[in-house]
Amino acid sequence: MIPSNAKKVFTGVIFDVYQWPQEMFDGSIETFEMLKRRTSTDVIATQNGKILLQVQEQPAKPIFLSFPGGQAEDAEDSLVGAKRELLEETGCTSNDWHLFSEVNAISKIDWFVYTYIARDCTIVQDQQLDAGERITIRWVTLDELIDLVDQQKFTQIEPSFRMDLVRAKYHPPARQELEKKIFGL
Amino acid sequence: MIPSNAKKVFTGVIFDVYQWPQEMFDGSIETFEMLKRRTSTDVIATQNGKILLQVQEQPAKPIFLSFPGGQAEDAEDSLVGAKRELLEETGCTSNDWHLFSEVNAISKIDWFVYTYIARDCTIVQDQQLDAGERITIRWVTLDELIDLVDQQKFTQIEPSFRMDLVRAKYHPPARQELEKKIFGL
């Protein structure tokens, strides 16, 4: 999405800024700008028909709900990153991983969010949290997850998946399809 | 959301970058980063029970659907910006404006999107488009708008409103409430 003639004009901690000269419809030239952000992962971790949610605290932010996941490390494959984040944040592993979706959600930002399903998770170690994380784990049913999203109590979620969950709330065939996709039954 | 001790470290065309030293839970300090982007407006313009959609072309982008709207000019009030964008992009005015929602949609970006309703629009002049815009106007029913969003054909839309439209598709009381909010009947 960022054209090959774009130049990186700023390197940040999270965001890098790119600019390029873009020809307009009347032949004039304007400077266009886009951001690049490292790939992120979200993990839908399941166990006994429930889904893992994180009640998360970070410095300078109100408490929020999230899935396990985070930013990929340098050149890390998204699935490797998803497994690493799940283990660090929750102490869980799984032998049954599936890609749920791959979305570039936000206009003007080159930022891919990969959502993975990790079925039948087992806890194998303690959490290994960064100095900027406090995470409590909560297991919820699919219907509880759907309600949290529909009631806007869980908003830090990729917009298309958020839409899937709201659709599942009010449209039984969509709920059935989503349940099958997540739990594989 | 950007703390008062943050410093602007980059000034872009669309995005400005801010950084600040943030104390972690263990007392260590890390550099935190957020972006600032000018306020944007979206306009739900109505006429005879229909809603105005724009089929829009911009350089270096595939054709996409949008509401009228755009980025506020320096220090411009959001309603003033919404009226200006509606007039420039569609040639329409309205005497009946209502705030639909005010949302800071994206984590790590200080960016407010104001959605306004402009009822009973009338066309008073020709479009006055920038060199980077090609816009065709299309009037759709609320149900057509809902279907375009539900089928992911209209994705450049503020995520909470997108959720409202999907809910309206499958939950008749939500549809009724949304229709009343938009058309005021």
Side-chain angles (χ1 to χ4, degrees):
Chain A
M1 298 171 56
I2 295 178
S4 56
N5 64 329
K7 282 192 184 134
K8 197 203 270 193
V9 292
F10 179 79
T11 302
V13 179
I14 299 171
F15 297 98
D16 297 336
V17 184
Y18 288 78
Q19 293 180 345
W20 68 94
Q22 176 66 51
E23 187 175 343
M24 299 288 100
F25 293 127
D26 65 355
S28 63
I29 303 286
E30 285 186 24
T31 300
F32 269 35
E33 185 174 272
M34 271 188 68
L35 304 172
K36 197 171 166 60
R37 184 177 172 174
R38 274 191 211 163
T39 293
S40 293
T41 55
D42 275 338
V43 181
I44 305 167
T46 76
Q47 189 187 65
N48 300 323
K50 292 203 168 181
I51 295 164
L52 195 161
L53 278 193
Q54 300 188 156
V55 184
Q56 190 160 176
E57 202 181 337
Q58 289 181 0
K61 233 179 145 169
I63 290 178
F64 61 98
L65 292 175
S66 75
F67 289 117
Q71 196 173 270
E73 293 180 353
D74 296 299
E76 185 181 50
D77 173 77
S78 65
L79 180 57
V80 173
K83 290 179 177 179
R84 180 183 52 71
E85 291 281 358
L86 181 66
L87 186 63
E88 288 174 2
E89 294 189 335
T90 71
C92 282
T93 58
S94 163
N95 291 315
D96 191 9
W97 288 81
H98 304 266
L99 181 62
F100 179 83
S101 66
E102 174 195 344
V103 178
N104 190 345
I106 301 173
S107 177
K108 298 190 200 307
I109 307 184
D110 180 351
W111 178 40
F112 279 87
V113 179
Y114 287 80
T115 302
Y116 283 98
I117 302 161
R119 292 190 192 132
D120 304 323
C121 286
T122 50
I123 295 179
V124 296
Q125 65 174 47
D126 290 338
Q127 290 174 310
Q128 299 183 316
L129 299 179
D130 294 336
E133 291 176 326
R134 277 179 183 152
I135 294 172
T136 312
I137 284 168
R138 192 173 145 190
W139 293 93
V140 297
T141 63
L142 177 58
D143 289 322
E144 285 167 339
L145 171 64
I146 287 170
D147 282 342
L148 287 167
V149 170
D150 185 54
Q151 293 161 18
Q152 311 230 38
K153 290 174 185 164
F154 181 13
T155 57
Q156 196 132 325
I157 177 168
E158 187 277 304
S160 294
F161 186 26
R162 202 174 162 187
M163 220 168 78
D164 289 341
L165 288 160
V166 172
R167 195 184 291 107
K169 164 94 185 174
Y170 299 103
H171 189 48
R175 192 200 167 288
Q176 208 175 340
E177 198 185 318
L178 185 65
E179 185 172 22
K180 195 173 166 188
K181 195 167 173 190
I182 292 176
F183 296 104
L185 303 173
Chain B
M1 298 172 57
I2 297 178
S4 54
N5 64 328
K7 283 193 184 132
K8 197 203 271 192
V9 293
F10 179 80
T11 303
V13 179
I14 297 170
F15 298 99
D16 297 336
V17 184
Y18 288 79
Q19 292 181 346
W20 69 95
Q22 176 67 51
E23 187 174 342
M24 300 287 99
F25 293 128
D26 65 356
S28 63
I29 303 287
E30 285 185 25
T31 300
F32 269 35
E33 185 173 272
M34 270 187 70
L35 305 173
K36 196 169 167 61
R37 183 176 174 177
R38 274 193 212 162
T39 293
S40 293
T41 55
D42 274 340
V43 180
I44 306 167
T46 76
Q47 189 188 65
N48 299 324
K50 293 205 168 179
I51 294 164
L52 195 160
L53 277 192
Q54 300 188 157
V55 184
Q56 191 160 174
E57 203 181 337
Q58 289 181 2
K61 235 179 143 167
I63 289 179
F64 61 99
L65 291 176
S66 75
F67 289 117
Q71 197 173 271
E73 295 182 350
D74 296 298
E76 184 182 50
D77 173 77
S78 64
L79 180 56
V80 173
K83 289 179 178 179
R84 180 183 50 73
E85 291 282 0
L86 180 65
L87 186 63
E88 287 173 5
E89 294 188 335
T90 71
C92 282
T93 58
S94 161
N95 291 315
D96 191 11
W97 288 81
H98 304 266
L99 181 63
F100 179 82
S101 66
E102 174 194 343
V103 178
N104 190 345
I106 301 172
S107 179
K108 298 192 202 305
I109 307 183
D110 180 350
W111 178 40
F112 280 87
V113 179
Y114 287 80
T115 302
Y116 284 97
I117 302 161
R119 291 188 194 134
D120 304 321
C121 286
T122 49
I123 296 179
V124 294
Q125 64 174 48
D126 289 340
Q127 291 175 310
Q128 300 183 316
L129 300 178
D130 293 339
E133 292 175 325
R134 277 180 185 153
I135 294 173
T136 311
I137 283 168
R138 192 172 144 191
W139 292 93
V140 297
T141 63
L142 177 58
D143 289 322
E144 286 167 340
L145 171 64
I146 287 170
D147 283 343
L148 286 167
V149 170
D150 185 53
Q151 293 161 18
Q152 309 229 41
K153 290 174 185 164
F154 180 14
T155 57
Q156 195 133 324
I157 177 170
E158 185 279 303
S160 295
F161 185 26
R162 201 172 162 187
M163 220 168 78
D164 290 341
L165 287 160
V166 172
R167 195 184 291 109
K169 164 96 185 172
Y170 299 102
H171 190 48
R175 192 200 167 287
Q176 208 174 339
E177 197 184 320
L178 185 66
E179 184 172 22
K180 196 173 164 186
K181 196 169 171 189
I182 292 176
F183 295 103
L185 302 173

